[in-house]
Amino acid sequence: QEGDIEVDALPDSPERWAEFDAIILGDVSPDVFTFDQLTQMRDHIAQRGAGLLWIAGPGSTPTAWFDTPLGDLIPFTKD
């Protein structure tokens, strides 16, 4: 977290996502988010131009993400 505003919860509306210029996802399970949050995050990135830094790892990324609303943002296929 950077800046002087404390982030105490994940955004849960398009308006809350709009407060962020970039999203950084580590090797986290998509189950951390609700389906609505995943859809809102995808829209914020794909339609409103927020940046996305996605860090893959041995746990969840990318395999657990292919069948989520963000799956089409992964820059390679699961084959």
Side-chain angles (χ1 to χ4, degrees), residues 5-75:
I5 299 172
E6 184 174 332
V7 178
D8 58 357
L10 294 171
D12 59 0
S13 70
E15 296 77 24
R16 294 288 310 270
W17 283 110
E19 298 174 20
F20 300 93
D21 297 324
I23 298 167
I24 301 171
L25 293 174
D27 189 25
V28 62
S29 171
D31 296 334
V32 170
F33 303 95
T34 67
F35 184 82
D36 286 342
Q37 285 175 315
L38 293 172
T39 302
Q40 293 163 7
M41 188 184 331
R42 194 224 179 274
D43 291 347
H44 186 52
I45 295 162
Q47 295 175 3
R48 292 189 292 281
L52 173 63
L53 174 62
W54 212 335
I55 304 167
S60 297
T61 308
T63 55
W65 287 87
F66 282 115
D67 295 325
T68 71
L70 276 78
D72 65 335
L73 298 180
I74 298 172

